[in-house]
Amino acid sequence: MSSNSFAYNEQSGGGEATELGQEATSTISPSGAFGLFSSDLKKNEDLKQMLESTKDSAKLDAMKRIVGMIAKGKNASELFPAVVKNVASKNIEIKKLVYVYLVRYAEEQQDLALLSISTFQRALKDPNQLIRASALRVLSSIRVPIIVPIMMLAIKEASADLSPYVRKNAAHAIQKLYSLDPEQKEMLIEVIEKLLKDKSTLVAGSVVMAFEEVCPDRIDLIHKNYRKLCNLLVDVEEWGQVVIIHMLTRYARTQFVSPWKEDDGLEDNEKNFYESDDEQKEKTDQRKKPYTMDPDHRLLIRNTKPLLQSRNAAVVMAVAQLYWHISPKSEVGIISKSLVRLLRSNREVQYIVLQNIATMSIQRKGMFEPYLKSFYVRSTDPTMIKTLKLEILTNLANEANISTLLREFQTYVKSQDKQFAAATIQTIGRCATNISEVTDTCLNGLVCLLSNRDEIVVAESVVVIKKLLQMQPAQHGEIIKHMAKLLDSITVPVARASILWLIGENCERVPKIAPDVLRKMAKSFTSEDDLVKLQILNLGAKLYLTNSRQTKLLTQYILNLGKYDQNYDIRDRTRFIRQLIVPNEKSGALSKYAKKIFLAQKPAPLLESPFKDRDHFQLGTLSHTLNTKATGYLELSNWPEVAPDPSVRNVEVIELAKEWTPAGKAKKENPAKKFYSESEEEEDSSDSSSDSESESGSASGEQDEGDSSDDSSEESSSEHGSDSESASEVGDKRTAKRNSKSKGKSDSEDGEKENEKSKTSDSSSADSSSEEESSSDSESESESESESESRKVTKEKEKKKTKQDRNPLTKDVSLLDLDDFNPVSTPVALPTPALSPSLIADLEGLNLSTSSSVISVNTPVFVPVKTHVLLHRMSGRGLAAHYFFPRQPCIFGDKMVSVQITLNNTTDRKIENIHIGGKKLPMGMQMHVFNPIESLEPEGSITVSMGIDFCDSTQTASFQLCTKDDCFNVNIQPPVGELLLPVAMSEKDFKKEQGMLTGMNETSTVIIAAPQNFTPSVILQKVVNVANVGVVPSGQDNIHRFAAKTVHSGSLMLVTVELKEGSTAQLIINTERTVIGSVLLRELKPVLSQG
Amino acid sequence: MIHSLFLINSSGDIFLEKHWKSVVSRSVCDYFFEAQERATEAENVPPVIPTPHHYLLSVYRHKIFFVAVIQTEVPPLFVIEFLHRVVDTFQVTNVGTSFLLDSCPVIDAIIDKSGSTITAEIQGVIDACVKLTGMPDLTLSFMNPRLLDDVSFHPCVRFKRWESERILSFIPPDGNFRLLSYHVSAQNLVAIPVYVKHNISFRDSSSLGRFEITVGPKQTMGKTIEGVIVTSQMPKGVLNMSLTPSQGTHTFDPVTKMLSWDVGKINPQKLPSLKGTMSLQAGASKPDENPTINLQFKIQQLAISGLKVNRLDMYGEKYKPFKGIKYMTKAGKFQVRT
């Protein structure tokens, strides 16, 4: 212990003062102190005792204090044995804290840490995914080399876990294992390869992160997953998006040809940085044929665009750099606005964003010029932000805006922040050189600043003026005289040195002043700064050469002073100058050229932006910010001259017959629930079935018989091969598709419209044959669908090529929900409510008409004539009302159950104005009332229709039935069987749906009845009498299946009657709506049992 | 990505550390302390500091530095944004039935000496406080969505729906979150709601200067301007100020030279003013620049951006939520140069 704390103190080094401060505070805080004081040892004893305690509360308390110590950086390693005992604690809170402790100290106490490993191994098999994941997390965080094989095994297993959350953690663990033991690289790459194929949005970000860390050069692993990543991108969590976008940027630069045309604008300097001239020429030659963008390239650019709206600055920046590096120059402009938006964020975000804008604005002023005023400096900005803004303003300055900018700069020069004022002066100098129109104005302005009271401002002005004058040496004698006077007052060495240099250079233009200056300098030589002394020597030398008559002695005096200076640089310089300018027998041939050497025409300094060369680095990276290559920086490669084979990105396609089902009913009905969970849950099952195979694995069986040309390799794809000409279109549609899908999750209407749109554009597009069209359709479908629906649709693949007899499946009753198909607009009398298939057919185009795979609402098998009393004539004062359920889809709303009410007048006078009065409906329930009936003749009878949305419950709808004179309270309580609409589906689909609705969603009971009750017709009759269900054709005689969906939510309701030995039968109901399910079970059971 | 995290308080103590990979000695923070010393002010500490073996990326919030230690190339914004998110994450989950929106347009402006506007822009946020049981699906529509020039959304908002219909459709998370932030296009002229009349004069070789400012309403659509606070960083030469406010309280810190005047409400009949003299360092010459005046204010019930919520509907749950929206215009970075 003591050795530990000693080592620790050594480490802290300079921070000792803070250490002391901490110790002081820690004595006050009850939990903190540890280390130097003897009383602390006692405290540890006390913690150990608490850990030994039988009470969880005491243990928890102790662990909290220990973790507190760790967080404060105190050493708690001594407690390892006591803590590790608790690793198997049942208490989850204690367990968590023990994990935290273990992760911190396992590396130091490896042997003891091994004791805990078996606990994690057990936990890796826990049925709870959260426990599996956290066990993996801790296991991979324990940095003990001996358990590397165990970690490797755990990662492999977790990467095949059913839970995407666990798989995500497996991806995280890869990085940790790699940092612990880089030897495992090859094995880890295998896991990465497998996880890259994962279709869960949860996993995508994490596995790409692992990829970037472990094997960023294995770009070949990305090919097959490229399109999937592009399509998933919008739905990946934001941190994953950043990583994926950066990776895809690099990918694009290796796989696509440059979209930057030669004539892309004068501002385009980038090519100069990346290519030599020769290369360019070659390129121009090659560019005879017009450039067409690879559709995959386009896909990436398009799919990242919405992310510019992200709230996450890192995502916005990532997209911005992607556009900068890979999009055509004409499209980069859209990122400016988003980047400017980020400037309203915290100072750190501003800092990074401004740096990147600075780099961009050098090459492309136009991008940010409209936002000029967004870069105006506020007095409250931190200095680093101010200088960056100034940098950008300078880059943006041009003839048109310079006068405005100079006015703005005037304010900045007066700023109390002198560092910033100095930077502004530099800026003015740069503007003066860049824009020749204002050079004189700027120079005059700077000269005015020479009389500023602040020395820093003056000094900076001198330096800048010196540079400006150097560019136009003529006719500035006045300024030089002015500056010579400044030597009396100004003390800043750089400025003095600058003035001296300037006078020396122009000594022939100011012949009277220069020797005088030298005289003054000779007096003060000894007290000058080294920098100034060097310039005095230079001035002396120059004057000696041009005006030796006046200055010979002065110069020699100065050279003598220099000879004995303390600084060897000055002594050296003195010796050098003396040899060069004072002719003697020892001086060599050079002295003849002394004048040329000293008074050569010197090139003017280039005032340029410090951000000039930063675009070597990929924007948005740490290396760009630091302007040096950071560890692990990955170069952005140049565009290839010739694009590598684009077909490597083709993936096995799972063809799908239906085009527009993503706007699925269930998704619309329950968007909240489905928003995230659905795809993942489904993936679980799909993954489990096809882990070892490729995505297409599950489809392969049918594919083989259907399409012999399709070769057996997982990777190859017959679809893709054929549609390469129409590829660009495919890409487009794929994106559209993707869009419609993401939208479809929340609202089917949009998805639907979008699809219609894309479809019309297909058919109208002249250059695509119908064949291409169909193949591209199916491709785009599978591309976007595959993640969530592949399981359902795989069997649909190839079907249309063989037979198209398959009955529709899955959940697409959504047609009825769409505005376009709202039944109100269709003839009410139409006997079949399933008008949808024909409409689908119209929309789908020929290729899909017969195989559209939907759950269509069927006509009711049977409509019972049973009526229920709504209002008895006795209580209704002669008005009698009955209601019955016609089992038709309601014309008033697709979530409503139709109810027909028959009104009878049993009195001998007219009943007038029959209408519905006040309604007392349970929450959410809605009712569409019938139009008031003006009058009902004596003995007359009239039937009216109503719609009631019961919200899938058997709750009573109470309302008032009113006449001109009276109001009667009446109720309608629906039998559960009337809350359904029959559904037609195949036996196979039924089984599949049933397979998904197990567990909690399944209720069953055993029925005992006489055998004559179990004939098919009797069962059918009994079931449809009770419930409005559709009959599913059954291959087995002893099993009867019925399918329906609930009217409100559209959830499937699957009823199975399975006849057993003797006179028993099993009645099974599968549905998500378990409440209605069990009510239906209760109602069916007695009906089926009785004779 | 992030190797370790250190939290450092204003007195330079590392009071919390956390390591995700191997333990990095806290002595790495010495590089940070050096940079801090050089920067003199906390906000000038560079957010990215390279050290021989690590990179230190930091954010400064609530007077605490959150210093992340990085070992390899990483997008710096990734880390910075993440650290800010860590600081932000103090959300409370709730069960209830209310949905409250706060629409806060913020006006940023720089006004020059003569009172004309150099730059002015309006940006705004709509913050939501949601306490809704279940999974409500909400749609929010605006009267005038065209005003929005540039928007960014909380991830819950369905972007496609916005693009096609200009409607915000989302399932909100519980608690407080920022639903939307936006910028109003620059073409729309910004109505500046306040003006400042100022007369601040220094004279060379005089030990007294005059100081007088008056704040008044300009274009407020009849709404009261509240919570007005005037701050100004006075030049170094000002030793003290002797001022009389017509209302509110004022302070002058002779060390930091910060003048602060808490005005409160502006009564248009009797405009608040602050008058008096400044005692200047004897013999010192007058400063180059008059101090900039920073203004804070609030205007209740005024949406200066013109952005109004049209309606909010809820689907997917059966109860009726309590809905409300509050508009309040605030000053952001509102500076008057004198």
Side-chain angles (χ1 to χ4, degrees), chain A residues 158-342:
Chain A
S159 69
D161 199 285
L162 290 190
S163 152
Y165 180 68
V166 176
R167 298 202 299 275
K168 182 188 182 71
N169 275 282
H172 291 158
I174 290 173
Q175 302 171 57
K176 292 187 177 165
L177 178 53
Y178 182 64
S179 81
L180 179 65
D181 182 8
E183 301 274 292
Q184 303 294 318
K185 186 170 176 178
E186 288 311 313
M187 299 244 272
L188 288 173
I189 292 177
E190 278 170 33
V191 183
I192 289 175
E193 189 171 6
K194 181 158 116 196
L195 283 174
L196 276 171
K197 291 189 184 134
D198 204 301
K199 295 188 192 70
S200 166
T201 52
L202 213 55
V203 182
S206 304
V207 65
V208 171
M209 215 178 281
F211 170 83
E212 291 280 83
E213 187 127 346
V214 179
C215 53
D217 47 332
R218 289 290 305 274
I219 213 94
D220 57 298
L221 298 182
I222 303 299
H223 293 320
K224 287 273 178 273
N225 302 295
Y226 173 83
R227 289 175 192 160
K228 183 193 72 190
L229 285 171
C230 288
N231 288 324
L232 283 182
L233 196 55
V234 193
D235 297 325
V236 173
E237 37 81 37
E238 43 194 353
W239 310 108
Q241 286 172 346
V242 178
V243 182
I244 295 176
I245 293 171
H246 274 271
M247 188 276 287
L248 289 179
T249 308
R250 275 192 307 118
Y251 179 88
R253 283 288 282 259
T254 61
Q255 299 298 317
F256 307 125
V257 291
S258 167
W260 303 331
K261 294 180 210 81
E262 297 297 311
D263 55 347
D264 239 356
L266 297 168
E267 285 178 345
D268 175 14
N269 297 326
E270 183 146 355
K271 55 181 183 244
N272 299 331
F273 292 108
Y274 290 110
E275 293 151 316
S276 71
D277 285 349
D278 295 2
E279 277 171 343
Q280 262 180 55
K281 262 176 222 150
E282 260 175 55
K283 208 166 199 174
T284 341
D285 294 339
Q286 278 179 356
R287 288 276 180 70
K288 290 287 185 264
K289 59 175 187 185
Y291 167 75
T292 45
M293 188 183 270
D294 187 309
D296 287 326
H297 190 172
R298 173 54 66 198
L299 175 73
L300 176 58
I301 293 174
R302 188 174 308 183
N303 279 9
T304 46
K305 189 179 167 193
L307 298 179
L308 281 173
Q309 244 72 34
S310 171
R311 64 164 174 172
N312 186 317
V315 176
V316 177
M317 189 66 233
V319 180
Q321 67 82 25
L322 178 130
Y323 265 75
W324 180 258
H325 290 294
I326 74 160
S327 85
K329 298 280 180 192
S330 54
E331 292 171 39
V332 179
I334 62 162
I335 64 174
S336 329
K337 193 187 275 181
S338 306
L339 288 178
V340 171
R341 183 183 70 232
L342 297 184

Side-chain angles (χ1 to χ4, degrees), chain A residues 498-519:
Chain A
S498 292
I499 296 173
L500 290 174
W501 183 88
L502 203 58
I503 292 171
E505 282 297 292
N506 296 287
C507 55
E508 283 166 307
R509 290 199 190 82
V510 283
K512 287 194 180 138
I513 293 172
D516 195 44
V517 169
L518 188 66
R519 180 185 59 82

